[in-house]
Amino acid sequence: MKRWTWFGVFAVTFLSGVAQASTLVNGAGATFPYPLYSKWFSQYQSVDKDVQFNYQSIGSGGGIRQFSEKTVDFGATDAPMTEEQLKKAVGALHIPTVLGAVVVTYNLPNVGSGLKLTGQVIAEIFLGKITKWDDARIVALNKDKKLSGDIMVVRRSDGSGTTNIFTDYLSKVSEEWKAKAGTGTAISWPVGLGGKGNEGVAGFVKQTPGSIGYVELIYAKSNGLPYATIQNKAGQFVEPTLESVTAAADGALKTMPADYRVSITNAEGKTAYPLSAFTYLLVWKTMPDVNKGAKLVKFLKWAATEGQSQAAALHYAPLPKSLAKKIETTVGTIEVPKIN
């Protein structure tokens, strides 16, 4: 097996005997699940040697756009498509793959791990209203920490499902944020330095003392960056763990719509982590290509079953079993054209 990865546009191609791989399946989108998808596409070679996956990690906004324009065979997004976007992509299906956590990461060498933050404080930092680490509102939450210096905000520069999760949460906990900045994959940021992809934000935070940003959990862990414990809706300060992310999903399962488009930020429950989310693959209800369609359907069934066992090692929460069964049923309804 050969593997290529490069940065700028984050892409990964997995080949297992190029001559044997008769079907090339192209995808693009979210950086949030990129570490897991990379592993999945690599290991799936042992399941089906006749398919080659090429995935470009360009952000959810780019993934939705390329999928809608049919320049790729599947898209990937952490932000469910809006009603307006679905009008331009009639027949699109959202297939949840795993759950993940967005974390608020920071670079404070004299503080270390364990910084506590509330949603209101996070909103005021990203609104540019709190500009010092020793602001009374931060100090009151962290009396055991030695805080000082200017705050440098780092945020995404590209269209991003991670941004959608983060801003969706802030809009739920701060009326001012909702009015001034709002929710979306791309917004007009009040302050901050932009980084491309989760990779870019993590890189800026790692290189910049005094900085704060938001990334998917695995990107903080892989860069050795600490991340905040955040107060949830029940008033508890909760760390992002497999258990706390799963707890956030539990309440949503009872009312989850048939198309799986749901927000689980700021969820109910004492143990729920407030910046949790599903991530999705986007595919067509009626596949436009018989070979690629058949390969994608087979892969989606594998991802919802055997693939789930690989999620925890990369700090993603597997799908609840009841949901995985529903997804298998949905995948079974995908229509693949017959060869005439």
Side-chain angles (χ1 to χ4, degrees), residues 49-338:
K49 291 182 171 60
D50 291 330
V51 63
Q52 170 189 332
F53 284 95
N54 175 57
Y55 180 70
Q56 294 187 349
S57 176
I58 60 173
S60 294
I64 290 172
R65 183 178 63 256
Q66 290 198 20
F67 172 74
S68 300
E69 294 172 352
K70 297 187 177 181
T71 58
V72 292
D73 304 306
F74 68 92
T77 182
D78 317 313
M81 295 174 73
T82 65
E83 293 299 328
E84 190 65 29
Q85 289 170 332
L86 284 171
K87 290 178 182 178
K88 300 176 183 178
V90 177
L93 292 178
H94 290 71
I95 306 296
T97 52
V98 289
L99 296 113
V102 173
V103 301
V104 176
T105 187
Y106 54 90
N107 184 337
L108 295 170
N110 296 324
V111 171
S113 61
L115 187 73
K116 292 181 179 179
L117 295 173
T118 66
Q120 188 64 42
V121 166
I122 297 168
E124 295 198 8
I125 290 172
F126 280 79
L127 282 168
K129 297 182 70 176
I130 295 178
T131 60
K132 302 284 187 180
W133 282 109
D134 58 358
D135 184 282
R137 288 161 287 189
I138 301 177
V139 172
L141 299 170
N142 299 276
K143 294 180 179 178
D144 60 330
K145 304 290 186 184
K146 294 182 179 179
L147 296 160
S148 64
D150 295 332
I151 296 175
M152 168 58 74
V153 169
V154 183
R155 41 75 176 178
R156 289 287 285 271
S157 61
D158 54 329
S160 157
T162 309
T163 294
N164 189 79
I165 296 164
F166 185 66
T167 57
D168 178 59
Y169 167 67
L170 293 183
S171 291
K172 289 178 179 179
V173 298
S174 168
E175 288 297 327
E176 185 176 9
W177 178 273
K178 184 178 181 180
K180 291 184 177 179
T183 301
T185 55
I187 66 168
S188 180
W189 289 96
V191 294
L193 177 68
K196 186 174 177 59
N198 274 285
E199 304 91 336
V201 172
F204 274 129
V205 172
K206 189 172 185 177
Q207 297 167 16
T208 311
S211 60
I212 186 171
Y214 60 93
V215 295
E216 201 280 329
L217 177 58
I218 188 62
Y219 291 89
K221 284 185 170 290
S222 63
N223 282 278
L225 291 169
Y227 41 87
T229 300
I230 300 175
Q231 188 179 47
N232 67 11
K233 193 171 185 178
Q236 304 297 310
F237 285 91
V238 181
E239 293 183 12
T241 64
L242 298 183
E243 293 76 17
S244 63
V245 171
T246 300
D250 285 342
L253 295 181
K254 298 176 184 178
T255 57
M256 195 169 197
D259 64 4
Y260 305 114
R261 294 185 300 149
V262 66
S263 166
I264 58 171
T265 59
N266 204 37
E268 301 283 352
K270 290 184 178 181
T271 62
Y273 179 68
L275 274 165
S276 301
F278 288 98
T279 190
Y280 306 87
L281 286 181
L282 302 173
V283 297
W284 297 106
K285 169 68 175 175
T286 301
M287 292 289 184
D289 181 277
V290 59
N291 291 321
K292 293 181 179 183
K295 295 297 185 183
L296 261 175
V297 167
K298 184 179 177 182
F299 170 77
L300 290 171
K301 290 179 179 178
W302 177 88
T305 52
E306 292 95 322
Q308 294 298 302
S309 64
Q310 301 171 19
L314 292 173
H315 308 288
Y316 297 92
L319 296 170
K321 290 183 179 180
S322 60
L323 178 58
K325 289 181 180 179
K326 290 181 181 179
I327 291 168
E328 283 188 77
T329 300
T330 299
V331 172
T333 68
I334 295 174
E335 300 171 3
V336 178
K338 296 180 180 179

